[in-house]
Structures are given as C-alpha cells and as structure tokens.
Amino acid sequence: MEQQSRRTEQTLICPIQGLDEEFPDSVFVLRERNRNTYGCYCHRGVHGLACFSNPARACEFAMLLKTTSIECLKVTFDEAREIAKQRPLPVVAVMLLDDLENPLIHYVR
C-alpha cells in the first residue's frame, strides 16, 4: 500500500503589507517627461512605483522630487502594475502613498 504524504496547509491572514485593503481602479503616477522616468518611493527597504488616489496628493509629492518637467498621469491599476514591472530593480511593487508612513503595497515581482 502506498503511503501518501500529508501536507498541512496554512493560510496567513494578510501576510504581505497592504493586501487587506484595496487599491483604487485608477491611480495617479508622476512621470518625468524629459527622461521618461517615474516617481518611486522606498518604504522600509521596499522600492515601489509611487501612486496616489488623487492628483492633489500626487502634486504634493512631486514638489519633493525637485525636478521641473514632472507630469501627473491618471492610469488604471493594471497600467500602474505594468509600469512598475518595467522599472529596473530595485523597484518591486506599486505603492499607494496617500499616507507616506503607511503605504499600501502591491508586489509585482
């Protein structure tokens, strides 16, 4: 008789920061027109594409970047994920930065 191995599966409640809350269907990202780069943010060692739920918050963040040719773009959440995937490492996530101290993080790689 074959002995079947038993696996115990466990599900962790919200093991990755931010997965218990949802991202909006569309977000605002910041793009530097001259170099075609995007605003990013590092939170506790995790680098991600900076996203915002409204353009006013995005503009506040843009002032911190101290560059002159930034534009605020409205994109879908899926488009934001694709932009983040195209960024070079260490960018590994999309970050909703409505609260800079407690961003929502969605990993893309």
Side-chain angles (χ1 to χ4, degrees):
M1 184 149 75
E2 273 184 52
Q3 185 179 18
Q4 293 181 350
S5 64
R6 292 187 178 204
R7 273 188 1 189
T8 303
E9 293 186 17
Q10 295 180 347
T11 302
L12 299 177
I13 305 301
C14 300
I16 300 175
Q17 180 179 3
L19 289 184
D20 58 332
E21 298 181 44
E22 291 190 25
F23 275 73
D25 292 333
S26 60
V27 293
F28 294 88
V29 297
L30 300 169
R31 184 176 72 159
E32 206 274 317
R33 288 184 290 255
N34 295 335
R35 297 185 314 183
N36 198 31
T37 58
Y38 290 83
C40 293
Y41 189 72
C42 180
H43 178 74
R44 297 184 181 170
V46 176
H47 295 261
L49 175 70
C51 297
F52 305 87
S53 62
N54 66 60
R57 290 198 189 272
C59 290
E60 289 173 14
F61 187 79
M63 287 188 216
L64 300 174
L65 299 178
K66 298 181 182 174
T67 185
T68 58
S69 62
I70 289 184
E71 62 184 339
C72 182
L73 303 174
K74 183 177 183 179
V75 299
T76 66
F77 175 68
D78 287 336
E79 290 171 325
R81 290 183 77 245
E82 289 304 313
I83 292 168
K85 286 179 188 178
Q86 294 169 3
R87 299 298 94 209
L89 288 174
V91 174
V92 296
V94 174
M95 289 187 181
L96 187 66
L97 296 176
D98 291 345
D99 177 359
L100 290 177
E101 296 301 317
N102 190 27
L104 295 181
I105 299 173
H106 173 82
Y107 291 90
V108 297
R109 56 177 157 191

